[in-house]
Amino acid sequence: MHPIISAAELRERLDTVHVLDARWSLGRTDGHDQYLAGHIPGAVFVDVERDLTRHGEPHEGRHPLPDDAALAAAARRWGVRQGASVVVYDDDRMLPASRAWWALRRAGLEVRVLDGGWQAWLSIGGEVETGEVVVAPGDIVLGSPGDDGVIDTEAAAGWPDRGTLLDARVAERYRGETEPIDPIAGHVPGAKNLPIGQLLTDDARFRPASDIAAAFDAVGATAGTATAAYCGSGITAAQLALAGAIAGRDVTVYPGSWSAWSNTPGRPVATGAE
């Protein structure tokens, strides 16, 4: 199954899929308000901070994954039923939707991301519904992937020796010229920079699979190379994993990302271009 879906295809299949609205961005708390003001018909709101992360210690990063049982309980609360096809969208360049895709896909759910998100839906004249969508609890049974598809700080440190570790942040943060959030500027030694913006169009859609594959190849993440990704706090890294899936590349995610690395005493920091 292709991991993304166009707005036009979603409109045609709207009565056969379960839609999740994951509007959120760092430092913004009005996602639910925006959802209430207008959303895709039938869409159920997903609280990214509550449902797709958990509170952790500083060395775990800003957005640790929820435990398997908590994620499964959230999916049932969203009304997801066994065998359902799920589509998730947002209004922030598919960042939180990618986190939802990655977390739910790891647990065995069939899920796709709306390419271009809310703005793409509006651009085709998609119907808009207001207010809360209240659903009966679902019966979905998710798997328990545990550590499958994720690495911790220790594994991230050694990853460049066995494959390619990608840093999805903008080049200035990777080079250590600026750091607006975390305590130390720079990157994991040996990591290669692949800013997520290079893989998106100006209207926040994914570039063609061939372009994404070429961008991966250019930084050494070629087909067959063990590839992992990190970002600031684990959200954008999930989008890099989604981009990899579009191009047929398997990407392991370091959920703690730079927020975990920079809060772990003794970890080396690299700066400049590699």
Side-chain angles (χ1 to χ4, degrees):
M1 181 184 66
H2 200 277
I4 62 174
I5 185 172
S6 70
E9 182 182 353
L10 176 58
R11 182 164 59 182
E12 292 176 358
R13 299 190 54 203
L14 194 56
D15 60 347
T16 67
V17 297
H18 192 79
V19 183
L20 302 176
D21 183 311
R23 271 182 269 194
W24 170 90
S25 64
L26 188 63
R28 198 180 81 188
T29 60
D30 62 345
H32 187 244
D33 292 337
Q34 294 198 12
Y35 162 84
L36 293 175
H39 54 78
I40 294 175
V44 176
F45 182 72
V46 172
D47 188 321
V48 172
E49 291 283 356
R50 183 186 71 174
D51 297 333
L52 297 175
T53 70
R54 62 173 171 82
H55 176 72
E57 299 300 322
H59 71 274
E60 295 180 282
R62 285 190 300 278
H63 296 117
L65 275 171
D67 64 44
D68 296 339
L71 180 63
R76 289 190 289 271
R77 191 172 64 250
W78 303 330
V80 181
R81 302 198 63 79
Q82 201 68 18
S85 294
V86 175
V87 173
V88 60
Y89 74 95
D90 60 50
D91 63 350
D92 190 26
R93 297 177 66 80
M94 297 179 289
L95 277 172
S98 295
R99 171 67 170 228
W101 169 85
W102 176 70
L104 293 169
R105 178 174 172 267
R106 285 183 65 244
L109 190 63
E110 182 178 303
V111 57
R112 302 171 77 182
V113 170
L114 175 58
D115 197 22
W118 177 240
Q119 292 303 319
W121 180 258
L122 295 178
S123 73
I124 65 163
E127 185 181 352
V128 174
E129 182 179 64
T130 60
E132 196 81 58
V133 173
V134 179
V135 292
D139 61 359
I140 188 69
V141 177
L142 297 182
S144 296
D147 294 332
D148 186 38
V150 302
I151 55 173
D152 60 12
T153 296
E154 187 65 31
W159 196 276
D161 295 330
R162 61 182 293 257
T164 300
L165 180 63
L166 300 178
D167 184 320
R169 299 173 300 163
V170 296
E172 292 81 3
R173 289 184 73 187
Y174 169 82
R175 294 193 298 261
E177 296 167 3
T178 183
E179 181 46 64
I181 304 173
D182 294 311
I184 302 171
H187 60 266
V188 176
K192 306 297 183 182
N193 191 209
L194 180 55
I196 193 65
Q198 293 184 10
L199 309 181
L200 302 176
T201 63
D202 291 341
D203 60 349
R205 302 174 197 239
F206 279 106
R207 294 191 179 279
S210 58
D211 291 354
I212 295 172
F216 271 68
D217 292 345
V219 291
T222 54
T225 298
T227 301
Y230 74 93
C231 56
S233 66
I235 304 294
T236 308
Q239 189 172 22
L240 201 55
L242 175 55
I246 293 169
R249 309 292 169 89
D250 186 34
V251 178
T252 297
V253 171
Y254 171 27
S257 288
W258 188 248
S259 61
W261 186 277
S262 61
N263 278 288
T264 303
R267 289 295 168 186
V269 173
T271 56
E274 289 221 342

